[in-house]
Amino acid sequence: MTVTAPAPSAIAAAPSPRVLKRLLRYVAAHRGLVIGTITVMVLVGVLDLSIPKLVGAAIDGPVRDKSASGVLVYALILAGVAFLGSIARGLQQFVTVLTGQRIGFSLRQDVFAHLQKMGLSYFDRHPVGTLLTRVTSDVDAVEESFSSGVASVFYDALKLVLIVGLLWWTDGLLVASVLLVVPVLLVVTIVFTRRSRTDFRRVRAEVAATNAYVQESIGGLRVTRLFGRADRAR
């Protein structure tokens, strides 16, 4: 039994900016959810960063003055901020996952519709298992990236901007010393991104080849046993 699975180099041929541009169409189609996600992220970031400021204000104020009533007031404020933060984080998780699922649903519909338009010769050249991988696990990977990866990167970047702004307001020299490590982090990130992109595409190619072989092995089980190829297939 011969399975013509795509080579890893074929899968890695599509340039990343081109792929991102095509994916942005799906983001634009769900712009309402995306805007809601960004809004909730900003709220979560502000609430998270307000806690250390409140703690500092409490230490410099009622704690230094040994005012029990003042400490109680700050404690209640901190409890309220923490409560709102937990609600906002839960809402953020819900909205980001919903956004990823909506984008994945639209992408999966388009991929399936595209397959319906292809000629019969296309299905002769591409195993069914490989095509199923495209419609299922590959789309799941894109959906997961929107649900967790992209959202996490955006939230971390937003939080970093807020932290730098807060530090700059507190001590500009401290910000300058912290930002000295940014060039090193950028170099490490670029190197890691290039390597991980190649490895990720290679993994997707291997998964597609495995699914194609499993599908054809099960579908052609009678032929496999008829020609005594069960041991080879196993």
Side-chain angles (χ1 to χ4, degrees):
M1 180 181 296
T2 302
V3 178
T4 56
S9 59
I11 292 190
S16 181
R18 179 182 171 187
V19 174
L20 290 177
K21 184 177 180 180
R22 294 171 65 182
L23 288 176
L24 284 177
R25 294 191 294 108
Y26 295 93
V27 176
H30 300 86
R31 63 179 65 90
L33 283 173
V34 174
I35 294 174
T37 302
I38 295 174
T39 303
V40 175
M41 285 182 178
V42 172
L43 177 61
V44 172
V46 171
L47 289 174
D48 286 344
L49 293 180
S50 65
I51 292 179
K53 292 296 294 182
L54 288 171
V55 172
I59 294 175
D60 294 336
V63 173
R64 177 181 296 176
D65 298 337
K66 298 181 181 180
S67 173
S69 59
V71 172
L72 179 61
V73 170
Y74 272 97
L76 293 175
I77 294 175
L78 284 171
V81 172
F83 178 72
L84 291 176
S86 63
I87 294 177
R89 277 187 290 272
L91 183 60
Q92 173 190 342
Q93 184 69 18
F94 174 80
V95 176
T96 52
V97 171
L98 180 61
T99 302
Q101 289 182 345
R102 292 287 177 84
I103 292 175
F105 179 71
S106 300
L107 179 60
R108 187 174 287 108
Q109 281 186 315
D110 290 345
V111 172
F112 185 76
H114 178 73
L115 289 177
Q116 300 299 310
K117 300 175 184 178
M118 302 302 294
L120 295 178
S121 59
Y122 178 83
F123 296 96
D124 292 335
R125 297 191 307 269
H126 296 81
V128 176
T130 301
L131 301 179
L132 284 176
T133 303
R134 297 289 175 268
V135 180
T136 55
S137 63
D138 285 359
V139 177
D140 287 339
V142 175
E143 178 181 317
E144 180 65 22
S145 68
F146 277 102
S147 298
S148 58
V150 175
S152 298
V153 170
F154 181 82
Y155 175 72
D156 291 339
L158 175 64
K159 195 171 183 179
L160 180 62
V161 171
L162 293 175
I163 290 174
V164 170
L166 188 60
L167 285 176
W168 186 269
W169 182 58
T170 304
D171 190 342
L173 183 61
L174 179 62
V175 175
S177 61
V178 170
L179 292 181
L180 288 177
V181 300
V182 171
V184 179
L185 292 176
L186 288 177
V187 172
V188 173
T189 301
I190 292 172
V191 173
F192 176 77
T193 300
R194 290 178 177 176
R195 178 60 188 270
S196 62
R197 183 185 297 122
T198 302
D199 291 342
F200 177 79
R201 287 171 174 167
R202 182 166 52 84
V203 168
R204 302 316 305 172
E206 295 293 342
V207 170
T210 302
N211 289 343
Y213 191 83
V214 170
Q215 188 275 332
E216 292 198 359
S217 296
I218 295 176
L221 187 60
R222 294 177 182 272
V223 179
T224 301
R225 291 184 175 179
L226 180 64
F227 286 93
R229 302 287 288 181
D231 292 337
R232 174 63 181 245
R234 182 165 54 249

